[in-house]
Amino acid sequence: MKRKIIKIDLEKCNGCGACASACHEGAIGMVNGKAVLLREDFCDGLGDCLPACPTQAISFEERDAAPYDQEAVQAAQQKKAGDTQKPACSCPGTRVQRMRTVPLDGGAAPTSAAVSSLAQWPCQIKLVPVNAPYLDDADLLIAADCAAYAFGDFHHRFMRGRITLIGCPKLDAGDYAEKLTQIFRAHRIGSVTVARMEVP
């Protein structure tokens, strides 16, 4: 059938991923650093992705395309919501969850060492799912896992009000560039703070 559907200009696309985040139906995804229409039948033709694109790489065209399949979209969204709650490995402690903490600019600082400012679980970079909902509009703290042991006020000074991602660049296999790139492309990130350990 002929209908209005989005068209992506790959030359204009800068790979920011804002359109993929704005597409509630999941029709757009990132492939090799560029936005791609993954499923014609997921594109409703309403254009939530258009204003999100900073380079005007997305436009409409009228052409033969599969009809919009709302039932398939809803089934995919339910599956994605279920997958978000699945552990990243066999450990039940990797279940994605948010925790109550003291906000960055509101409330008193923790007065007891027993008060944690950890805002989410999991927090290890290699275990955090790229599509974890707590990453949306997050202020990130990316920290070496030993930094908290070296800095006594780490929770209050660095973690409070932020989503914490920790890792050990020396001991973890590989680097974090690919995982962090996926996270930055899939979510709007408010700010990034990096804490690293200075060896005594």
PDB file of all heavy atoms in Angstrom, residues 110-131:
ATOM      1  N   PRO A 110      23.745  12.799  53.483  1.00  0.00           N
ATOM      2  CA  PRO A 110      23.667  11.668  54.401  1.00  0.00           C
ATOM      3  C   PRO A 110      24.525  11.929  55.635  1.00  0.00           C
ATOM      4  O   PRO A 110      25.631  12.437  55.532  1.00  0.00           O
ATOM      5  CB  PRO A 110      24.237  10.514  53.572  1.00  0.00           C
ATOM      6  CG  PRO A 110      24.048  10.927  52.151  1.00  0.00           C
ATOM      7  CD  PRO A 110      24.176  12.412  52.146  1.00  0.00           C
ATOM      8  N   THR A 111      23.987  11.622  56.800  1.00  0.00           N
ATOM      9  CA  THR A 111      24.721  11.865  58.038  1.00  0.00           C
ATOM     10  C   THR A 111      25.302  10.583  58.605  1.00  0.00           C
ATOM     11  O   THR A 111      25.995  10.599  59.593  1.00  0.00           O
ATOM     12  CB  THR A 111      23.789  12.487  59.095  1.00  0.00           C
ATOM     13  OG1 THR A 111      22.660  11.622  59.258  1.00  0.00           O
ATOM     14  CG2 THR A 111      23.326  13.865  58.642  1.00  0.00           C
ATOM     15  N   SER A 112      24.992   9.464  57.983  1.00  0.00           N
ATOM     16  CA  SER A 112      25.490   8.190  58.475  1.00  0.00           C
ATOM     17  C   SER A 112      26.186   7.453  57.363  1.00  0.00           C
ATOM     18  O   SER A 112      25.792   7.519  56.203  1.00  0.00           O
ATOM     19  CB  SER A 112      24.316   7.338  58.986  1.00  0.00           C
ATOM     20  OG  SER A 112      24.713   5.998  59.124  1.00  0.00           O
ATOM     21  N   ALA A 113      27.244   6.732  57.705  1.00  0.00           N
ATOM     22  CA  ALA A 113      27.965   5.937  56.723  1.00  0.00           C
ATOM     23  C   ALA A 113      27.082   4.830  56.174  1.00  0.00           C
ATOM     24  O   ALA A 113      27.371   4.268  55.137  1.00  0.00           O
ATOM     25  CB  ALA A 113      29.220   5.351  57.357  1.00  0.00           C
ATOM     26  N   ALA A 114      25.979   4.524  56.866  1.00  0.00           N
ATOM     27  CA  ALA A 114      25.088   3.453  56.422  1.00  0.00           C
ATOM     28  C   ALA A 114      24.151   3.897  55.309  1.00  0.00           C
ATOM     29  O   ALA A 114      23.483   3.081  54.705  1.00  0.00           O
ATOM     30  CB  ALA A 114      24.279   2.934  57.602  1.00  0.00           C
ATOM     31  N   VAL A 115      24.079   5.207  55.026  1.00  0.00           N
ATOM     32  CA  VAL A 115      23.183   5.705  53.985  1.00  0.00           C
ATOM     33  C   VAL A 115      23.916   5.649  52.648  1.00  0.00           C
ATOM     34  O   VAL A 115      24.960   6.250  52.466  1.00  0.00           O
ATOM     35  CB  VAL A 115      22.735   7.155  54.288  1.00  0.00           C
ATOM     36  CG1 VAL A 115      21.879   7.688  53.156  1.00  0.00           C
ATOM     37  CG2 VAL A 115      21.973   7.196  55.594  1.00  0.00           C
ATOM     38  N   SER A 116      23.334   4.917  51.699  1.00  0.00           N
ATOM     39  CA  SER A 116      23.943   4.777  50.386  1.00  0.00           C
ATOM     40  C   SER A 116      23.327   5.754  49.402  1.00  0.00           C
ATOM     41  O   SER A 116      22.136   6.049  49.474  1.00  0.00           O
ATOM     42  CB  SER A 116      23.740   3.340  49.875  1.00  0.00           C
ATOM     43  OG  SER A 116      24.183   3.225  48.535  1.00  0.00           O
ATOM     44  N   SER A 117      24.129   6.248  48.470  1.00  0.00           N
ATOM     45  CA  SER A 117      23.633   7.115  47.406  1.00  0.00           C
ATOM     46  C   SER A 117      23.530   6.373  46.085  1.00  0.00           C
ATOM     47  O   SER A 117      23.297   6.991  45.046  1.00  0.00           O
ATOM     48  CB  SER A 117      24.565   8.324  47.239  1.00  0.00           C
ATOM     49  OG  SER A 117      24.501   9.153  48.376  1.00  0.00           O
ATOM     50  N   LEU A 118      23.687   5.052  46.108  1.00  0.00           N
ATOM     51  CA  LEU A 118      23.562   4.282  44.873  1.00  0.00           C
ATOM     52  C   LEU A 118      22.127   4.347  44.381  1.00  0.00           C
ATOM     53  O   LEU A 118      21.200   3.992  45.106  1.00  0.00           O
ATOM     54  CB  LEU A 118      23.991   2.826  45.097  1.00  0.00           C
ATOM     55  CG  LEU A 118      24.024   1.947  43.845  1.00  0.00           C
ATOM     56  CD1 LEU A 118      25.058   2.473  42.843  1.00  0.00           C
ATOM     57  CD2 LEU A 118      24.331   0.501  44.201  1.00  0.00           C
ATOM     58  N   ALA A 119      21.932   4.807  43.145  1.00  0.00           N
ATOM     59  CA  ALA A 119      20.595   5.072  42.632  1.00  0.00           C
ATOM     60  C   ALA A 119      19.994   3.924  41.835  1.00  0.00           C
ATOM     61  O   ALA A 119      18.803   3.946  41.553  1.00  0.00           O
ATOM     62  CB  ALA A 119      20.626   6.321  41.756  1.00  0.00           C
ATOM     63  N   GLN A 120      20.799   2.938  41.440  1.00  0.00           N
ATOM     64  CA  GLN A 120      20.287   1.883  40.565  1.00  0.00           C
ATOM     65  C   GLN A 120      21.118   0.617  40.706  1.00  0.00           C
ATOM     66  O   GLN A 120      22.192   0.618  41.288  1.00  0.00           O
ATOM     67  CB  GLN A 120      20.304   2.358  39.107  1.00  0.00           C
ATOM     68  CG  GLN A 120      21.560   2.040  38.312  1.00  0.00           C
ATOM     69  CD  GLN A 120      22.828   2.762  38.752  1.00  0.00           C
ATOM     70  OE1 GLN A 120      22.786   3.780  39.422  1.00  0.00           O
ATOM     71  NE2 GLN A 120      23.976   2.227  38.381  1.00  0.00           N
ATOM     72  N   TRP A 121      20.579  -0.448  40.168  1.00  0.00           N
ATOM     73  CA  TRP A 121      21.284  -1.730  40.110  1.00  0.00           C
ATOM     74  C   TRP A 121      20.951  -2.382  38.782  1.00  0.00           C
ATOM     75  O   TRP A 121      19.806  -2.265  38.342  1.00  0.00           O
ATOM     76  CB  TRP A 121      20.846  -2.628  41.279  1.00  0.00           C
ATOM     77  CG  TRP A 121      21.750  -3.813  41.415  1.00  0.00           C
ATOM     78  CD1 TRP A 121      21.530  -5.071  40.927  1.00  0.00           C
ATOM     79  CD2 TRP A 121      23.023  -3.841  42.044  1.00  0.00           C
ATOM     80  NE1 TRP A 121      22.583  -5.880  41.220  1.00  0.00           N
ATOM     81  CE2 TRP A 121      23.530  -5.146  41.908  1.00  0.00           C
ATOM     82  CE3 TRP A 121      23.804  -2.893  42.693  1.00  0.00           C
ATOM     83  CZ2 TRP A 121      24.772  -5.524  42.407  1.00  0.00           C
ATOM     84  CZ3 TRP A 121      25.031  -3.264  43.187  1.00  0.00           C
ATOM     85  CH2 TRP A 121      25.503  -4.571  43.052  1.00  0.00           C
ATOM     86  N   PRO A 122      21.888  -3.023  38.105  1.00  0.00           N
ATOM     87  CA  PRO A 122      23.304  -3.148  38.428  1.00  0.00           C
ATOM     88  C   PRO A 122      24.061  -1.852  38.154  1.00  0.00           C
ATOM     89  O   PRO A 122      23.553  -0.957  37.492  1.00  0.00           O
ATOM     90  CB  PRO A 122      23.781  -4.262  37.488  1.00  0.00           C
ATOM     91  CG  PRO A 122      22.862  -4.194  36.317  1.00  0.00           C
ATOM     92  CD  PRO A 122      21.539  -3.756  36.861  1.00  0.00           C
ATOM     93  N   CYS A 123      25.279  -1.795  38.675  1.00  0.00           N
ATOM     94  CA  CYS A 123      26.085  -0.596  38.471  1.00  0.00           C
ATOM     95  C   CYS A 123      27.400  -0.888  37.747  1.00  0.00           C
ATOM     96  O   CYS A 123      28.075   0.051  37.340  1.00  0.00           O
ATOM     97  CB  CYS A 123      26.344   0.117  39.798  1.00  0.00           C
ATOM     98  SG  CYS A 123      27.166  -0.888  41.027  1.00  0.00           S
ATOM     99  N   GLN A 124      27.764  -2.156  37.585  1.00  0.00           N
ATOM    100  CA  GLN A 124      28.974  -2.470  36.833  1.00  0.00           C
ATOM    101  C   GLN A 124      28.727  -2.220  35.350  1.00  0.00           C
ATOM    102  O   GLN A 124      27.710  -2.666  34.798  1.00  0.00           O
ATOM    103  CB  GLN A 124      29.391  -3.924  37.039  1.00  0.00           C
ATOM    104  CG  GLN A 124      29.982  -4.186  38.411  1.00  0.00           C
ATOM    105  CD  GLN A 124      30.437  -5.627  38.529  1.00  0.00           C
ATOM    106  OE1 GLN A 124      29.672  -6.543  38.270  1.00  0.00           O
ATOM    107  NE2 GLN A 124      31.678  -5.812  38.915  1.00  0.00           N
ATOM    108  N   ILE A 125      29.642  -1.536  34.702  1.00  0.00           N
ATOM    109  CA  ILE A 125      29.462  -1.166  33.302  1.00  0.00           C
ATOM    110  C   ILE A 125      29.136  -2.384  32.447  1.00  0.00           C
ATOM    111  O   ILE A 125      28.238  -2.347  31.619  1.00  0.00           O
ATOM    112  CB  ILE A 125      30.722  -0.446  32.755  1.00  0.00           C
ATOM    113  CG1 ILE A 125      30.933   0.884  33.482  1.00  0.00           C
ATOM    114  CG2 ILE A 125      30.616  -0.217  31.253  1.00  0.00           C
ATOM    115  CD1 ILE A 125      32.243   1.577  33.162  1.00  0.00           C
ATOM    116  N   LYS A 126      29.839  -3.477  32.664  1.00  0.00           N
ATOM    117  CA  LYS A 126      29.634  -4.647  31.800  1.00  0.00           C
ATOM    118  C   LYS A 126      28.289  -5.334  32.042  1.00  0.00           C
ATOM    119  O   LYS A 126      27.826  -6.082  31.191  1.00  0.00           O
ATOM    120  CB  LYS A 126      30.774  -5.643  31.959  1.00  0.00           C
ATOM    121  CG  LYS A 126      30.946  -6.210  33.349  1.00  0.00           C
ATOM    122  CD  LYS A 126      32.176  -7.094  33.416  1.00  0.00           C
ATOM    123  CE  LYS A 126      32.374  -7.651  34.813  1.00  0.00           C
ATOM    124  NZ  LYS A 126      33.556  -8.485  34.906  1.00  0.00           N
ATOM    125  N   LEU A 127      27.619  -5.056  33.173  1.00  0.00           N
ATOM    126  CA  LEU A 127      26.331  -5.683  33.461  1.00  0.00           C
ATOM    127  C   LEU A 127      25.133  -4.776  33.197  1.00  0.00           C
ATOM    128  O   LEU A 127      24.001  -5.250  33.110  1.00  0.00           O
ATOM    129  CB  LEU A 127      26.284  -6.135  34.930  1.00  0.00           C
ATOM    130  CG  LEU A 127      27.260  -7.234  35.343  1.00  0.00           C
ATOM    131  CD1 LEU A 127      27.084  -7.563  36.817  1.00  0.00           C
ATOM    132  CD2 LEU A 127      27.094  -8.480  34.487  1.00  0.00           C
ATOM    133  N   VAL A 128      25.358  -3.472  33.081  1.00  0.00           N
ATOM    134  CA  VAL A 128      24.250  -2.528  32.872  1.00  0.00           C
ATOM    135  C   VAL A 128      23.665  -2.731  31.476  1.00  0.00           C
ATOM    136  O   VAL A 128      24.387  -2.639  30.483  1.00  0.00           O
ATOM    137  CB  VAL A 128      24.735  -1.071  33.026  1.00  0.00           C
ATOM    138  CG1 VAL A 128      23.674  -0.084  32.574  1.00  0.00           C
ATOM    139  CG2 VAL A 128      25.138  -0.793  34.463  1.00  0.00           C
ATOM    140  N   PRO A 129      22.361  -3.022  31.367  1.00  0.00           N
ATOM    141  CA  PRO A 129      21.753  -3.157  30.042  1.00  0.00           C
ATOM    142  C   PRO A 129      21.725  -1.810  29.321  1.00  0.00           C
ATOM    143  O   PRO A 129      21.424  -0.787  29.934  1.00  0.00           O
ATOM    144  CB  PRO A 129      20.331  -3.639  30.332  1.00  0.00           C
ATOM    145  CG  PRO A 129      20.328  -4.076  31.756  1.00  0.00           C
ATOM    146  CD  PRO A 129      21.410  -3.311  32.447  1.00  0.00           C
ATOM    147  N   VAL A 130      22.037  -1.814  28.039  1.00  0.00           N
ATOM    148  CA  VAL A 130      22.049  -0.573  27.264  1.00  0.00           C
ATOM    149  C   VAL A 130      20.678   0.100  27.293  1.00  0.00           C
ATOM    150  O   VAL A 130      20.579   1.324  27.293  1.00  0.00           O
ATOM    151  CB  VAL A 130      22.488  -0.860  25.804  1.00  0.00           C
ATOM    152  CG1 VAL A 130      22.309   0.362  24.923  1.00  0.00           C
ATOM    153  CG2 VAL A 130      23.941  -1.307  25.772  1.00  0.00           C
ATOM    154  N   ASN A 131      19.596  -0.695  27.357  1.00  0.00           N
ATOM    155  CA  ASN A 131      18.247  -0.125  27.329  1.00  0.00           C
ATOM    156  C   ASN A 131      17.659   0.079  28.722  1.00  0.00           C
ATOM    157  O   ASN A 131      16.460   0.276  28.859  1.00  0.00           O
ATOM    158  CB  ASN A 131      17.311  -1.010  26.496  1.00  0.00           C
ATOM    159  CG  ASN A 131      17.140  -2.407  27.102  1.00  0.00           C
ATOM    160  OD1 ASN A 131      17.874  -2.790  28.009  1.00  0.00           O
ATOM    161  ND2 ASN A 131      16.186  -3.171  26.604  1.00  0.00           N
TER     162      ASN A 131
END
